Amino acid sequence: MKIETAKRWFLWHKWTSLICTIFLLMLCITGLPLIFHHELEHVLEEEKVAEIPEGAQKKSLDELAAAAEALYPGERVRYVYWDEDEPNKTLFDVAPRPEAPYDSSKYVVLNDYTAAVLDRPTTDGVMNFILRLHRDMFLGIGGMLFLGLMGIVFVIAIITGVVLYGRIMKKFDFGMVRKYKSRRLHWLDTHNLIGIVTLAWATVVGITGIINALHDVVLFAWQQGQLKEMVAPYASKPPLEGQYASLDSALLVAEKAAPDMKASIITYPGTMFTSKHHYGIFMKGKTELTARLLMPVLVDAENGTLTDARKMPWYVITLFVSQPLHFGDYGGWPLKIIWALFDLATIVVLITGLYLWVARRKAAKMQWSRLNEKIEEYDEA
């Protein structure tokens, strides 16, 4: 590699690293507890078990939804959720209107057998604060897109770092750390070694982070694409008013349309994941991988008949796969521990990178100061 070319690669690596380092440090520090967010939530929040009275029968979804709405007079359910880790429970999102902003939502968890209130989750917890900071720095879509841009800059820094390390390793043994040289060289070699060891992980997390930052863009593309096609026959019809068809019957229709899947979320008419005329019932697979992939089934909320059911387009599937991979949420504890170790190693890379930049600037200032002193001595002589 020519010297001029090497300098250009070095400048690209230096400035891309400096631009994104502070934000990456924030993402790595907040990402560490998010790797274990399921486990930490169980520790930080009191979990109530859904007790099943002897001989009790499961309540219908319609009964549970009515019980949730009764807790907040004048408001209606707009989303229904299930969590496999919390059996015999159903979570309802109740709001003044379907299109109301998320901060107006009230959440309530009901026992499937007794309709008793088990919990009223809020978004004020520690884990939600960390997630918001990690996801968009409390700046909404602007913050998400900015962090996505920092992800792109990070990937460029990785590529330029690999090119530079390859040039260095032509002269030295792979993994070399010059312990007995200057402190700066010691930390430079440590920085390079840890950086190359974490290369694959950092690339995966960086790319999946960029994809996740496009969450709202992907949602908009799906709304304007597949969803719009699915509800096209209803485009000229007025929004539904009054009572909707039974939730239970709509769920049966969805299960019949996707017999090898199970319901994960039900969205009410008027919400962003469906039309003003349909229940959007999102079905998921039953394996570790397919459980991450949702399939929308649209059921006419007026008469309870099937309107359409389609597999999600590739760009939505890419997002669904990227979200859990970003946090190592695929292989249970072993993968989470590996993700956490690499996260800590990346924090070391970022801190040593900052140290090297500061040390280099100090060294340059000292050299310049010494040069000025020699010039002054020469002038005095």
Side-chain angles (χ1 to χ4, degrees), residues 238-301:
L240 289 180
E241 295 182 3
Q243 294 295 318
Y244 298 146
S246 166
L247 268 179
D248 296 277
S249 62
L251 182 57
L252 288 174
V253 169
E255 290 173 342
K256 188 175 180 180
D260 297 325
M261 307 179 83
K262 53 187 175 182
S264 176
I265 305 168
I266 297 179
T267 64
Y268 272 62
T271 57
M272 66 173 61
F273 300 102
T274 185
S275 75
K276 295 181 179 180
H277 306 88
H278 294 89
Y279 287 121
I281 303 177
F282 289 81
M283 310 296 286
K284 66 178 181 180
K286 298 179 180 179
T287 66
E288 185 68 28
L289 177 60
T290 59
R292 314 289 180 173
L293 308 179
L294 300 181
M295 174 179 167
V297 178
L298 298 187
V299 177
D300 191 313

Side-chain angles (χ1 to χ4, degrees), residues 159-351:
I159 294 169
T160 54
V162 170
V163 172
L164 290 171
Y165 192 70
R167 182 173 182 269
I168 293 170
M169 288 304 102
K170 287 180 180 180
K171 298 181 179 180
F172 301 98
D173 294 332
F174 179 82
M176 167 269 303
V177 177
R178 289 167 286 187
K179 297 180 181 179
Y180 305 107
K181 298 289 184 178
S182 67
R183 178 181 294 180
R184 191 167 69 84
L185 282 176
H186 183 192
W187 281 111
L188 174 62
D189 293 340
T190 303
H191 172 84
N192 291 338
L193 177 60
I194 299 176
I196 209 68
V197 168
T198 59
L199 170 66
W201 179 88
T203 304
V204 168
V205 172
I207 292 173
T208 54
I210 295 167
I211 295 170
N212 291 342
L214 297 174
H215 176 277
D216 287 1
V217 176
V218 171
L219 173 60
F220 180 78
W222 176 73
Q223 289 171 326
Q224 298 303 310
Q226 186 182 72
L227 181 60
K228 200 169 184 178
E229 290 177 7
M230 294 173 75
V231 301
Y234 292 77
S236 60
K237 293 184 178 182
L240 289 180
E241 295 182 3
Q243 294 295 318
Y244 298 146
S246 166
L247 268 179
D248 296 277
S249 62
L251 182 57
L252 288 174
V253 169
E255 290 173 342
K256 188 175 180 180
D260 297 325
M261 307 179 83
K262 53 187 175 182
S264 176
I265 305 168
I266 297 179
T267 64
Y268 272 62
T271 57
M272 66 173 61
F273 300 102
T274 185
S275 75
K276 295 181 179 180
H277 306 88
H278 294 89
Y279 287 121
I281 303 177
F282 289 81
M283 310 296 286
K284 66 178 181 180
K286 298 179 180 179
T287 66
E288 185 68 28
L289 177 60
T290 59
R292 314 289 180 173
L293 308 179
L294 300 181
M295 174 179 167
V297 178
L298 298 187
V299 177
D300 191 313
E302 184 175 20
N303 54 39
T305 59
L306 176 68
T307 295
D308 203 348
R310 302 185 189 183
K311 290 184 178 179
M312 288 286 201
W314 67 269
Y315 52 88
V316 181
I317 292 175
T318 302
L319 177 65
F320 286 160
V321 172
S322 295
Q323 287 174 335
L325 183 59
H326 186 69
F327 294 108
D329 196 14
Y330 267 121
W333 274 97
L335 189 61
K336 286 176 184 254
I337 292 171
I338 291 170
W339 243 239
L341 291 174
F342 276 116
D343 187 292
L344 290 169
T346 302
I347 291 174
V348 174
V349 172
L350 295 170
I351 293 174

Side-chain angles (χ1 to χ4, degrees), residues 84-99:
E84 287 186 352
D85 295 330
E86 299 186 8
N88 306 318
K89 299 179 182 180
T90 303
L91 171 63
F92 293 91
D93 177 334
V94 184
R97 57 189 188 281
E99 70 281 6

